[in-house]
Amino acid sequence: MRKILIPTDFSENAMNAMRYGIDLFKYEISEFYFMHAYQDEIYADEASLTRETLEKVKDEVAKRSKKQLQITLKNINEYSPNPRHTYNVVSSNSLLMDEADRIVDEQNIDIIVMGTRGITNDRNLTFGSNTLQIIKYVQCPVLAIPENYEYTQPKHILFPTDYMIPFKRRELKLLCEIAAPFRAIIDMLYISRSKNLSMRQEDNRAFLKETLCKNTVNFKVANGRNIVDTVYKYIKESSIDMLAMVNSRHSFLENILFQSTIDEFTLHLDIPFLALQNMRRD
């Protein structure tokens, strides 16, 4: 059974991500967890909050969270009464990242699906701060859905890599199983000034080829100095409808997310972005 966590702030972006996740896994027996972590909302109006009013505010925010989750559940059941799917709701007085981390660990979640931006919806950023924090720090793959992105079956997936990191079988299996129902083509893109691979790179590439054997995999090479620009150009020229990257120390994705500030990140993605994790999970 596929286990999917979808955090929500009840924005249209969050609802759009829910619909995408439900459509993407419509052929799989799946259990969805719609989660709202509301601690930040309790302390949002610090100027008027006092010790005397704190408990009342907590109760009001908790009730509102549970009510909105029930409305969300009703809307989702109407949108997709899929007998393969089970829907759960989680309302929690905690921080988003902490609650996501807890549910991922407790329920052994396979993937988190969320919008690239939340209710604040800063159009100058590719990723909202919440999405970025989840990608960086929660030990689970994250599928980020751009604002207003209409569901399209992923037929052509781009996976840029330098083949320097050892891949985790669980993460690659997830990518394989996302691609398989739609017979999607996966392009492994090696961005380098040299086509020659070291022994380590050759071994990692062989592992990729073996693990993704159910899918059509093309091994491509692109000559480019700027990774972000090269990836963006490839997406546009090859009609890519999903980008997958691995988040690991010294990976392409880490270089983008950690060494650049997010508002300097020029890859304004308008397709779903799958961030895989390079860490061992039980």
Side-chain angles (χ1 to χ4, degrees), residues 263-277:
D263 47 335
E264 291 172 349
F265 182 25
T266 56
L267 182 57
H268 294 293
L269 291 174
D270 55 6
I271 59 173
F273 175 68
L274 177 62
L276 301 173
Q277 303 292 351

Side-chain angles (χ1 to χ4, degrees), residues 4-36:
I4 302 138
L5 172 62
I6 306 185
T8 181
D9 57 5
F10 308 114
S11 64
E12 179 52 37
N13 287 337
M15 179 58 72
N16 190 51
M18 285 185 188
R19 290 191 289 261
Y20 185 96
I22 286 165
D23 287 336
L24 182 66
F25 297 107
K26 61 188 173 186
Y27 300 119
E28 294 190 46
I29 297 173
S30 303
E31 187 165 13
F32 290 82
Y33 293 82
F34 304 133
M35 179 266 284
H36 179 232

Side-chain angles (χ1 to χ4, degrees), residues 43-220:
Y43 299 96
D45 189 8
E46 289 255 16
S48 62
L49 192 65
T50 66
R51 289 291 172 192
E52 290 72 26
T53 60
L54 181 58
E55 290 305 316
K56 182 181 178 182
V57 172
K58 283 182 181 179
D59 289 343
E60 288 174 352
V61 174
K63 287 177 183 176
R64 186 166 65 243
S65 171
K66 290 174 183 175
K67 182 178 179 180
Q68 288 178 303
L69 279 170
Q70 290 304 315
I71 292 170
T72 298
L73 193 59
K74 179 176 179 291
N75 291 338
I76 289 299
N77 274 305
E78 289 174 355
Y79 175 76
S80 179
N82 190 333
R84 297 186 183 93
H85 291 173
T86 303
Y87 302 131
N88 305 282
V89 293
V90 179
S91 176
S92 176
N93 179 4
S94 48
L95 297 173
L96 172 64
M97 194 175 71
D98 292 343
E99 188 63 14
D101 210 24
R102 184 190 70 79
I103 296 174
V104 164
D105 184 55
E106 188 178 277
Q107 300 297 334
N108 198 22
I109 296 294
D110 295 299
I111 187 170
I112 299 170
V113 181
M114 60 193 302
T116 54
R117 292 190 291 260
I119 205 162
T120 53
N121 200 20
D122 188 342
R123 295 176 182 275
N124 294 317
L125 304 182
T126 302
F127 298 109
S129 59
N130 287 332
T131 308
L132 184 62
Q133 293 299 309
I134 296 291
I135 290 174
K136 280 185 179 181
Y137 300 117
V138 177
Q139 296 185 22
C140 183
V142 177
L143 179 60
I145 312 302
E147 178 191 12
N148 297 326
Y149 184 84
E150 293 187 13
Y151 173 75
T152 303
Q153 291 184 356
K155 295 285 191 179
H156 200 176
I157 300 171
L158 174 61
F159 192 156
T161 178
D162 57 8
Y163 302 119
M164 287 300 294
I165 54 174
F167 300 97
K168 299 300 180 192
R169 193 175 294 274
R170 173 172 177 160
E171 306 287 297
L172 295 180
K173 183 182 177 187
L174 172 68
L175 176 61
C176 182
E177 291 174 350
I178 287 174
F182 310 109
R183 298 180 181 176
I185 296 169
I186 301 173
D187 285 357
M188 305 297 305
L189 181 64
Y190 176 54
I191 303 171
S192 176
R193 298 179 203 176
S194 170
K195 294 184 179 181
N196 296 326
L197 300 180
S198 68
M199 193 176 299
R200 173 191 288 182
Q201 288 174 308
E202 288 177 350
D203 288 346
N204 288 333
R205 192 177 98 151
F207 179 74
L208 272 170
K209 191 171 185 179
E210 172 198 345
T211 307
L212 296 174
C213 61
K214 293 181 182 178
N215 303 90
T216 300
V217 182
N218 299 320
F219 290 91
K220 304 280 189 175

